[in-house]
Amino acid sequence: MKVSYKWLSEYVDLRAISPQQLAEKLTSGGLAVDGVEPRNQGVTGVVVGVVQEMERHPDADRLNVCQVDAGQGELLQIVCGAQNVKPGIKVPVALVGAKLPGDKEIKRAKLRGVASSGMLCSASEIGLDTRLLPQSQTSGLYILPDDAVIGTDIVEVLHLDDFILDVDLTPNRSDCLSVRGLAYEIAALLGTNTTFPSEVSLQLPDAPSPVRVQLESERCVRYDALVLGNVGSVPSPLWMQMRLMAMGVRPIDVIVDVTNYVMLEWGQPLHAFDAGTIAESTIVVRQARPGETLITLDGVERHLDEDMLVIADPVKAIGLAGVMGGANSEISLGTTSVVIESARFDAPSTRRTGQKLGLRSEAQQRFEKGIDPAAVRNALLRATQLLIELAGGQVSGGVATAQRDVGASTLSRVVKFSPSRCRDLLGCDIPDEVMRDLFRNLGFTVTLEGAEWAVNVPSRRPDISLQADLVEEIARLYGYDNIPSTLPTGPVTTAARDARQRLLEHVRNALVTRGMYEVRTYAFTSPEVYEALGLEEGHPLRKMIPLAYPMSDERRVLRTHMLPSLGEVARHNLSHRVDGGAIFEFGRCYEAREWPIQTQPREREVIAMMWFGSVPDSLYERARAYDFFDAKGAIEQLVTGLGIAVQYERAQVSWLHPGRSAAISSNGVVIGYVGEIHPSTAAAYDLQTSVYAELDVEMLLQQRPGAATVEALPRFPGARRDLALLVNKDVLVGQMLNEISKVSQVHEILRSARVFDVYAGQGVAADQKSVALALHFGANERTLTDAEMEEVVQDVIASLQDKFDARLRA
């Protein structure tokens, strides 16, 4: 927010404080000022002059010899090459000895033999920002209005004796997007009063308005309109143009300039329509209709949807509410009657409309952050005052209004405040009277209610709703430098990590040791990215919780699954010439417990992992695509270190390949999934063959043993027996190992079993496969005999034969 120091000084007495000191004061009070820039870029000795006579240079076709009256008692002869120079125009005249921006000094000179005593100046030569000027004023001389007094210093005429403060506002301080809000803020910081009017008084005709207003959408709670006649598209006065330019706004004409001026002054955006273009003299605030289009003021045809709020008449849309007006109701040279609009539009709706259409305006910025309801009518009346004063406008009837925000609750709120609690929180003994004065300086009303105060907060401060907000106001106005540093008091306990933190630290170390990289992604996403997961209608993962104030259309809901988040990281890396990688994230997914939402959602913490692209070349292996077993190996190393025994079962989830994925379970409870990403899902995220795995943190904590069991190393040698069994191809090897584990619970000497080969081909029936198993035996107190190991081997064979129709391979 750029703001004029001189404009602020009209409402707060700043004679005792310089612009730089004011910037320091605002910064110390929580409103950081990024810079203070003088409007005068080094102009001295430049005055208003009028070209009295002009003739061609005798020796140069493109030069003119001008006789200029600059209020010096005699005409000055100045040679000028500007194409728009002519007798009768008033322009800035740099006298001999004058200085211009860039340390340029004007001296007497001879141009092609003709003496020149000064220089006629363009806008850029006197330091004006030509980006904010009309095209006619950016080339050639800068033409001054006819009422400019000859001989007057141009710094005074163009109000260049000013400073611009660039205030970096935090998102919660929308009240300071106006001179009004900053005036109250500065007055509070300086301990003085502001003269900014609380209300605008204007006598309106005692007659109904020529226009009618209808609210047909819940997204507009207040709409006021006033009709003015005898108003045309003429330039605004120079002082207003210069003030707008100081704030970074381009002057257009008196009608548009007044609406912009009042927006900067009051913080309330306004818009002006050509009254003659409004059908049936009726304004309708409604949602856009399917397939409706509107050509906006920038000349672009916009395709609207039903989520967009529009201003319309009974026939057509004439503007995008809070964003931009329509070309079909634009003020033109033939305009004689205008309708001035002042309204409160829904902030999220305004933001979404601007984002969808790629539009951004000063008005939209203010509507997005919320409008002060007390400023709606006052800003409209203030604009009417200025149009009457500056353009001779004539009011036609009273204010046409429609509203849903009736009631005092919309204009102020009462917040409870405890002075003693404030002192405890700040660690500073601030007297009650000082706190009461600080609130009064802010324009707050304080009512005593015993030990507590009732602080009445005006509607211009929407950021204050809690006692903590009032405590913050006391702290910053009292001065952070005046609050002493104090040590917190209370019992001191030895810091220790809880079970969850210890588990996540183990997981992080295990995965990083395997060469994986930890990433952090947004918990915000959009519903569209979940279409790739192949979820059926009504699936719980489709029930995403929307954000009240999304940062963008791509970040408008809370995620329900981690795959899209990691897929975004993988796609970004692959598109930036990274061959592949292995990544993981500790993230939260948010699941609604009921729909519509009535209670807090469930936050499910997940360890999500992804392997994408290819393994890089190394001394030990050539580049290859990551596969299922890379993920399975990482998971087994991870859960083994946690002391958790897991089993793998065939998974049936839509986002994983049906034949190359598995559900991970422990003690009959599913704790996660691992598998190759379904080809259609991978294609939607611009990925080739990729592998995804996830583990539920809560389930891991439940399955992790409370204490580790330590066993001595065996004193007696173990033994191994190998079996080759023929089974049907559909039999899962994991199920065979589970069955063997049941046998080991009966025979303690069977310590473990593993698969070291699976074969299908020549010598084996087409519908069968050969599974080679290694059985490991051992005992703590003796050497095993062949007979007792053979007994266990036969039990294993019998169990597998009974369960899977397995038989020894010949």
Side-chain angles (χ1 to χ4, degrees):
M1 171 72 180
K2 293 182 182 295
V3 65
S4 161
Y5 174 82
K6 285 189 68 175
W7 198 351
L8 288 172
S9 66
E10 292 182 5
Y11 300 111
V12 185
D13 186 358
L14 300 178
R15 288 174 295 180
I17 185 170
S18 69
Q20 291 75 18
Q21 291 171 329
L22 178 60
E24 293 177 4
K25 197 73 175 177
L26 285 168
T27 301
S28 65
L31 298 180
V33 178
D34 290 341
V36 179
E37 181 181 0
R39 290 218 64 206
N40 187 345
Q41 299 296 313
V43 176
T44 59
V46 181
V47 298
V48 177
V50 60
V51 179
Q52 298 282 24
E53 301 175 7
M54 183 186 78
E55 59 183 18
R56 288 288 183 185
H57 191 290
D59 294 325
D61 294 338
R62 296 186 178 182
L63 297 179
N64 296 289
V65 180
C66 304
Q67 302 299 322
V68 180
D69 180 4
Q72 306 302 303
E74 61 179 353
L75 295 180
L76 303 178
Q77 178 173 288
I78 299 176
V79 178
C80 176
Q83 294 181 354
N84 63 339
V85 63
K86 61 182 180 180
I89 63 171
K90 290 184 178 180
V91 294
V93 180
L95 305 174
V96 174
K99 291 187 177 180
L100 300 179
D103 292 330
K104 182 179 181 180
E105 185 175 352
I106 304 302
K107 300 179 180 180
R108 296 185 188 275
K110 278 192 176 182
L111 299 177
R112 295 287 185 93
V114 177
S116 181
S117 301
M119 185 176 80
L120 307 185
C121 300
S122 66
S124 60
E125 288 169 336
I126 55 177
L128 295 182
D129 188 349
T130 56
R131 296 172 301 176
L132 300 176
L133 290 172
Q135 184 66 34
S136 60
Q137 291 279 42
T138 58
S139 59
L141 302 178
Y142 181 70
I143 309 300
L144 295 169
D146 293 338
D147 59 358
V149 179
I150 296 173
T152 307
D153 193 327
I154 201 68
V155 172
E156 177 185 343
V157 173
L158 299 182
H159 300 270
L160 299 180
D161 52 340
D162 194 5
F163 290 83
I164 306 303
L165 280 66
D166 189 358
V167 186
D168 186 7
L169 298 176
T170 52
N172 65 317
R173 293 307 305 270
S174 59
D175 61 299
C176 289
L177 285 170
S178 65
V179 172
R180 174 196 184 210
L182 284 169
Y184 275 102
E185 183 70 17
I186 293 169
L189 288 168
L190 299 180
T192 185
N193 296 318
T194 176
T195 59
F196 199 97
S198 58
E199 291 186 358
V200 176
S201 178
L202 179 65
Q203 187 67 38
L204 297 176
D206 187 15
S209 173
V211 298
R212 296 180 299 276
V213 177
Q214 299 175 6
L215 294 185
E216 296 183 359
S217 173
E218 297 291 332
R219 297 182 181 178
C220 177
V221 296
R222 174 82 175 270
Y223 192 99
D224 287 359
L226 198 60
V227 180
L228 285 93
N230 194 38
V231 179
S233 180
V234 296
S236 58
L238 187 61
W239 66 264
M240 180 174 283
Q241 294 184 35
M242 291 299 108
R243 189 160 280 183
L244 290 174
M245 290 176 62
M247 306 278 276
V249 178
R250 180 195 298 271
I252 305 295
D253 59 40
V254 68
I255 300 172
V256 177
D257 291 356
V258 163
T259 59
N260 285 331
Y261 184 87
V262 174
M263 176 187 69
L264 296 173
E265 187 177 59
W266 277 84
Q268 169 66 42
L270 305 173
H271 186 70
F273 300 101
D274 185 335
T277 64
I278 301 175
E280 301 178 23
S281 297
T282 301
I283 294 174
V284 183
V285 185
R286 59 170 173 82
Q287 299 300 128
R289 294 166 181 154
E292 191 168 16
T293 61
L294 174 68
I295 299 176
T296 47
L297 289 173
D298 56 2
V300 178
E301 184 178 23
R302 309 288 180 178
H303 296 271
L304 313 182
D305 62 41
E306 295 174 77
D307 186 52
M308 299 177 182
L309 186 67
V310 297
I311 311 302
D313 59 27
V315 177
K316 62 189 179 299
I318 59 175
L320 291 169
V323 179
M324 186 175 287
N328 56 7
S329 60
E330 181 180 8
I331 305 298
S332 64
L333 291 176
T335 299
T336 58
S337 180
V338 298
V339 177
I340 307 296
E341 161 199 281
S342 183
R344 285 182 67 203
F345 301 121
D346 178 63
S349 175
T350 306
R351 181 186 299 108
R352 288 196 302 271
T353 299
Q355 289 173 343
K356 288 178 181 178
L357 299 178
L359 293 172
R360 187 71 177 166
S361 65
E362 289 284 339
Q364 179 186 340
Q365 180 185 2
R366 286 161 174 80
F367 278 120
E368 285 179 355
K369 298 180 184 300
I371 293 300
D372 178 8
V376 175
R377 178 63 61 86
N378 283 310
L380 180 63
L381 297 179
R382 172 61 170 156
T384 304
Q385 272 185 345
L386 289 171
L387 288 173
I388 293 173
E389 176 187 342
L390 303 178
Q394 297 176 354
V395 180
S396 300
V399 177
T401 184
Q403 60 181 346
R404 292 189 175 92
D405 61 350
V406 182
S409 61
T410 62
L411 300 180
S412 63
R413 73 189 68 83
V414 175
V415 181
K416 298 297 183 181
F417 178 78
S418 169
S420 60
R421 178 60 178 160
C422 177
R423 284 186 280 267
D424 291 341
L425 290 172
L426 298 181
C428 183
D429 189 17
I430 304 176
D432 287 4
E433 190 57 40
V434 172
M435 288 192 274
R436 194 177 296 114
D437 288 343
L438 293 177
F439 285 142
R440 288 171 180 162
N441 291 341
L442 284 168
F444 299 176
T445 304
V446 178
T447 303
L448 303 183
E449 294 183 355
E452 281 195 339
W453 296 355
V455 181
N456 192 286
V457 181
S459 57
R460 62 181 169 81
R461 290 299 303 273
D463 58 309
I464 296 178
S465 58
L466 304 172
Q467 177 173 242
D469 299 326
L470 293 175
V471 173
E472 182 182 0
E473 293 298 294
I474 294 294
R476 67 186 191 83
L477 294 179
Y478 185 71
Y480 294 116
D481 292 341
N482 296 324
I483 299 176
S485 299
T486 57
L487 292 174
T489 59
V492 178
T493 57
T494 304
R497 292 179 177 174
D498 58 21
R500 172 187 161 277
Q501 292 170 324
R502 292 194 299 270
L503 181 141
L504 294 182
E505 185 64 20
H506 170 85
V507 172
R508 178 180 285 109
N509 291 336
L511 297 180
V512 170
T513 301
R514 289 189 66 89
M516 299 184 71
Y517 292 90
E518 184 175 4
V519 299
R520 298 288 178 87
T521 62
Y522 281 111
F524 309 145
T525 184
S526 67
E528 290 76 17
V529 301
Y530 284 77
E531 294 298 328
L533 299 185
L535 304 171
E536 68 228 7
E537 290 296 328
H539 194 285
L541 295 183
R542 283 187 177 271
K543 296 180 179 179
M544 301 165 204
I545 301 168
L547 300 179
Y549 301 100
M551 64 175 70
S552 69
D553 195 51
E554 293 76 23
R555 310 284 181 197
R556 67 181 189 272
V557 295
L558 290 171
R559 66 185 173 197
T560 57
H561 200 274
M562 295 290 294
L563 176 55
S565 298
L566 296 192
E568 185 179 350
V569 175
R571 175 170 52 192
H572 178 82
N573 279 271
L574 290 172
S575 65
H576 287 75
R577 308 189 71 174
V578 176
D579 294 330
I583 58 177
F584 71 95
E585 179 180 8
F586 302 145
R588 293 182 184 271
C589 298
Y590 301 85
E591 301 173 356
R593 300 180 188 271
E594 55 188 346
W595 204 264
I597 300 171
Q598 301 293 331
T599 58
Q600 286 284 356
R602 175 178 174 245
E603 297 185 23
R604 186 170 64 91
E605 191 168 18
V606 173
I607 303 165
M609 297 156 274
M610 180 177 283
W611 293 259
F612 61 91
S614 59
V615 179
D617 283 319
S618 69
L619 291 173
Y620 310 105
E621 63 175 339
R622 294 180 179 178
R624 60 171 179 82
Y626 283 104
D627 58 25
F628 174 86
F629 297 101
D630 290 304
K632 185 171 180 287
I635 290 171
E636 288 185 344
Q637 178 182 337
L638 190 156
V639 297
T640 300
L642 294 172
I644 301 174
V646 298
Q647 298 82 40
Y648 299 91
E649 300 173 1
R650 189 166 286 164
Q652 295 295 331
V653 288
S654 60
W655 56 88
L656 296 180
H657 194 296
R660 302 172 189 171
S661 60
I664 308 168
S665 61
S666 177
N667 296 322
V669 178
V670 175
I671 62 174
Y673 294 92
V674 59
E676 186 179 306
I677 300 176
H678 196 285
S680 61
T681 303
Y685 296 138
D686 297 327
L687 305 176
Q688 299 298 324
T689 301
S690 301
V691 184
Y692 174 79
E694 67 175 37
L695 294 170
D696 190 291
V697 172
E698 184 179 351
M699 295 299 179
L700 286 176
L701 285 170
Q702 293 176 4
Q703 299 301 320
R704 189 178 188 184
T709 302
V710 180
E711 294 184 356
L713 293 173
R715 294 183 297 160
F716 298 91
R720 166 177 166 169
R721 293 290 186 269
D722 293 345
L723 298 176
L725 300 171
L726 292 173
V727 294
N728 191 286
K729 277 190 173 181
D730 294 335
V731 174
L732 299 179
V733 175
Q735 294 178 344
M736 296 176 67
L737 293 175
N738 291 341
E739 193 65 25
I740 295 173
S741 68
K742 296 177 182 178
V743 177
S744 68
Q745 294 173 7
V746 179
H747 301 282
E748 293 184 355
I749 63 173
L750 179 57
R751 296 298 177 87
S752 66
R754 67 180 180 86
V755 177
F756 63 88
D757 185 45
V758 177
Y759 171 75
Q762 186 176 359
V764 176
D767 62 342
Q768 290 188 319
K769 62 183 175 183
S770 172
V771 179
L773 300 166
L775 305 180
H776 295 272
F777 297 87
N780 293 332
E781 303 299 333
R782 69 187 192 282
T783 300
L784 299 176
T785 64
D786 289 338
E788 55 186 338
M789 286 188 289
E790 184 62 27
E791 179 186 354
V792 177
V793 169
Q794 293 303 320
D795 283 353
V796 169
I797 294 173
S799 178
L800 295 177
Q801 185 176 8
D802 180 62
K803 187 75 174 178
F804 306 108
D805 194 24
R807 58 187 177 84
L808 283 173
R809 182 180 176 190

